[in-house]
Amino acid sequence: MMNTMKRQMKIYRIFLAAAVAVLGMGLVSCKKDKSTDESKEYLTGSMNFSIPTYVMPGQQFHLVPTGVTKTDGGTPGIYWTDSHFSVRDTTRRENGAGDGAFDFTVPSDVTSMTLTCAAFADGYYNMSKVVSLVIVKGAESITGLDLPDDVAKLEDKRDGRSYPYVKIGGREWMARNLAFGSGKPYYNAAAMQDVFGMFYTWDEAKAACPEGWRLPDAADWDDLAKAHGLEEPGDVYAGIAGDMMADAYMNENKMWEFWPEITITNKLKFCAIPSGYAMEDGETALFRGSSQYAVFWTAEEADEDQAWARQLYLRSADVFKASLHKSYFRANVRCVRDASE
């Protein structure tokens, strides 16, 4: 099944990274503004400042631009603009004192915007960096889960987060990805913790569920498949994916793209969303497969280095079993427990 995973888990576009028009995320550009005056010089270096792609309303950032100088060793002026307020804020004059820092508070009345920092000096072309931001509001950024108003909820006493859960077969399943803080958030952005849940290594996943809940094993997953009507579930749960997928929207943008072979019904109320997966890369993680995959760890080992996961894929009506590296691969977690009735 590892070969199957390798074939399927090619690097498709990261969630909305190629679709700035959809959510306005992830676009970073650094440019030199050229006029018709050929007597001007270019500033040296490149403009840098750091802010996550995903941010929350009210979040505050102290942004310090670095990396740009004049050829004579002087300091260029700095100004900032954003697409929401459309106000130019000059934070340093040419050859002036200070670091040109900008204190930015994320607005609450938009879901995407751009932020620009520009360096300027007399006799030089401007140099700027433009960053597009996605503004999310936690779990409420995702709509269309189609859960009843009176759905049961679990409060995780460890951090106060609440999770809806539903009965499927003989088990009760969380209907939202676990967001307990032992994993890493999407794009390493804290704002996404309650949106996509956390992405865990297998060892982290084994210890992530709250008291009374567990990481689902093979028997738990097979019980879910039997509740769908599969009499003898195997490595592939044929035809079940659409009944596990939620026709969900993030910031009013459709998450699972249309594919003719899939009819999304969310009949089981599992509410799978295409949050993708991640690969370890030192202190951060590289995120892949968003808008294409939903991948969930199971409690079953494949061998010393690999563990089993269940995955849903945009272009297949089936749910697959995949062997993934325990330490390098990061996936989501859905906790389960035996049904009380």
Side-chain angles (χ1 to χ4, degrees), residues 171 173 214-226 233-235 237 297-301 308 310 321 336:
R171 314 289 196 271
W173 290 81
R214 62 180 180 270
L215 188 66
D217 59 19
D220 294 321
W221 280 100
D222 284 351
D223 182 78
L224 180 149
K226 291 176 181 178
D235 288 348
Y237 296 162
W297 281 119
T298 80
E300 305 290 334
E301 289 184 277
W308 293 109
R310 284 286 173 180
K321 184 179 180 182
V336 68

Side-chain angles (χ1 to χ4, degrees), residues 59-123:
Q59 207 170 352
Q60 297 181 336
F61 296 93
H62 182 71
L63 306 175
V64 180
T66 61
V68 183
T69 59
K70 295 164 57 179
T71 55
D72 62 7
T75 57
I78 298 291
Y79 70 84
W80 300 78
T81 58
D82 69 71
S83 61
H84 180 57
F85 296 108
S86 300
V87 175
R88 175 168 166 164
D89 190 344
T90 301
T91 55
R92 184 176 69 199
R93 298 293 181 182
E94 182 181 357
N95 296 323
D99 56 10
F102 178 60
D103 291 318
F104 173 65
T105 300
V106 180
S108 61
D109 53 345
V110 291
T111 57
S112 64
M113 61 177 293
T114 59
L115 184 64
T116 303
C117 180
F120 65 92
D122 289 340

Side-chain angles (χ1 to χ4, degrees), residues 48-53 61-66 80 115 129 131 133:
N48 294 298
F49 65 91
S50 180
I51 187 170
T53 299
F61 296 93
H62 182 71
L63 306 175
V64 180
T66 61
W80 300 78
L115 184 64
K129 176 178 178 178
V131 177
L133 305 176

Side-chain angles (χ1 to χ4, degrees), residues 322-334:
S323 176
L324 307 172
H325 198 282
K326 296 176 181 177
S327 300
Y328 299 146
F329 197 94
R330 288 183 172 272
N332 290 129
V333 164
R334 290 294 183 91

Side-chain angles (χ1 to χ4, degrees), residues 2-324:
M2 187 60 181
N3 290 333
T4 300
M5 190 66 177
K6 287 180 178 178
R7 287 196 304 269
Q8 294 177 339
M9 300 191 82
K10 297 175 183 177
I11 301 178
Y12 293 90
R13 68 175 184 274
I14 300 173
F15 181 68
L16 303 179
V20 174
V22 179
L23 271 182
M25 66 149 279
L27 175 64
V28 176
S29 66
C30 192
K31 63 182 180 179
K32 297 175 180 179
D33 301 328
K34 185 174 181 179
S35 71
T36 58
D37 186 354
E38 296 299 332
S39 66
K40 288 187 176 182
E41 296 185 65
Y42 288 105
L43 294 167
T44 60
S46 60
M47 173 64 71
N48 294 298
F49 65 91
S50 180
I51 187 170
T53 299
Y54 294 93
V55 292
M56 295 178 287
Q59 207 170 352
Q60 297 181 336
F61 296 93
H62 182 71
L63 306 175
V64 180
T66 61
V68 183
T69 59
K70 295 164 57 179
T71 55
D72 62 7
T75 57
I78 298 291
Y79 70 84
W80 300 78
T81 58
D82 69 71
S83 61
H84 180 57
F85 296 108
S86 300
V87 175
R88 175 168 166 164
D89 190 344
T90 301
T91 55
R92 184 176 69 199
R93 298 293 181 182
E94 182 181 357
N95 296 323
D99 56 10
F102 178 60
D103 291 318
F104 173 65
T105 300
V106 180
S108 61
D109 53 345
V110 291
T111 57
S112 64
M113 61 177 293
T114 59
L115 184 64
T116 303
C117 180
F120 65 92
D122 289 340
Y124 291 84
Y125 300 118
N126 289 2
M127 182 183 292
S128 61
K129 176 178 178 178
V130 183
V131 177
S132 292
L133 305 176
V134 180
I135 301 169
V136 296
K137 300 179 181 180
E140 67 182 86
S141 292
I142 296 182
T143 58
L145 297 184
D146 192 31
L147 290 170
D149 293 338
D150 60 349
V151 66
K153 292 185 178 179
L154 158 75
E155 182 176 345
D156 190 341
K157 296 180 181 179
R158 298 170 299 179
D159 58 16
R161 287 185 169 86
S162 178
Y163 300 90
Y165 64 90
V166 295
K167 183 179 179 182
I168 305 174
R171 314 289 196 271
E172 290 173 336
W173 290 81
M174 286 185 178
R176 186 161 69 87
N177 295 346
L178 186 67
F180 183 64
S182 59
K184 291 183 178 179
Y186 183 72
Y187 256 58
N188 305 291
M192 289 299 288
Q193 183 170 349
D194 289 317
V195 183
F196 280 2
M198 295 295 258
F199 292 77
Y200 303 89
T201 65
W202 187 68
D203 284 336
E204 289 172 343
K206 287 193 300 179
C209 290
E211 183 179 357
W213 295 76
R214 62 180 180 270
L215 188 66
D217 59 19
D220 294 321
W221 280 100
D222 284 351
D223 182 78
L224 180 149
K226 291 176 181 178
H228 182 272
L230 298 182
E231 295 182 1
E232 296 182 4
D235 288 348
V236 176
Y237 296 162
I240 192 176
D243 289 346
M244 295 175 64
M245 294 175 173
D247 190 19
Y249 290 73
M250 177 176 165
N251 285 359
E252 300 183 355
N253 293 278
K254 189 174 178 65
M255 300 187 73
W256 290 108
E257 294 181 1
F258 171 76
W259 189 254
E261 297 179 10
I262 308 293
T263 300
I264 295 178
T265 68
N266 199 26
K267 180 180 177 181
L268 294 176
K269 303 303 181 188
F270 187 85
C271 300
I273 60 173
S275 47
Y277 57 95
M279 305 295 292
E280 273 295 285
D281 184 37
E283 295 182 358
T284 61
L286 301 176
F287 290 84
R288 300 287 185 266
S290 294
S291 80
Q292 301 280 337
Y293 289 93
V295 187
F296 305 98
W297 281 119
T298 80
E300 305 290 334
E301 289 184 277
D303 57 39
E304 183 177 351
D305 297 320
Q306 309 276 321
W308 293 109
R310 284 286 173 180
Q311 63 156 337
L312 289 78
Y313 173 50
L314 169 68
R315 300 184 180 185
S316 177
D318 303 332
V319 175
F320 298 94
K321 184 179 180 182
S323 176
L324 307 172

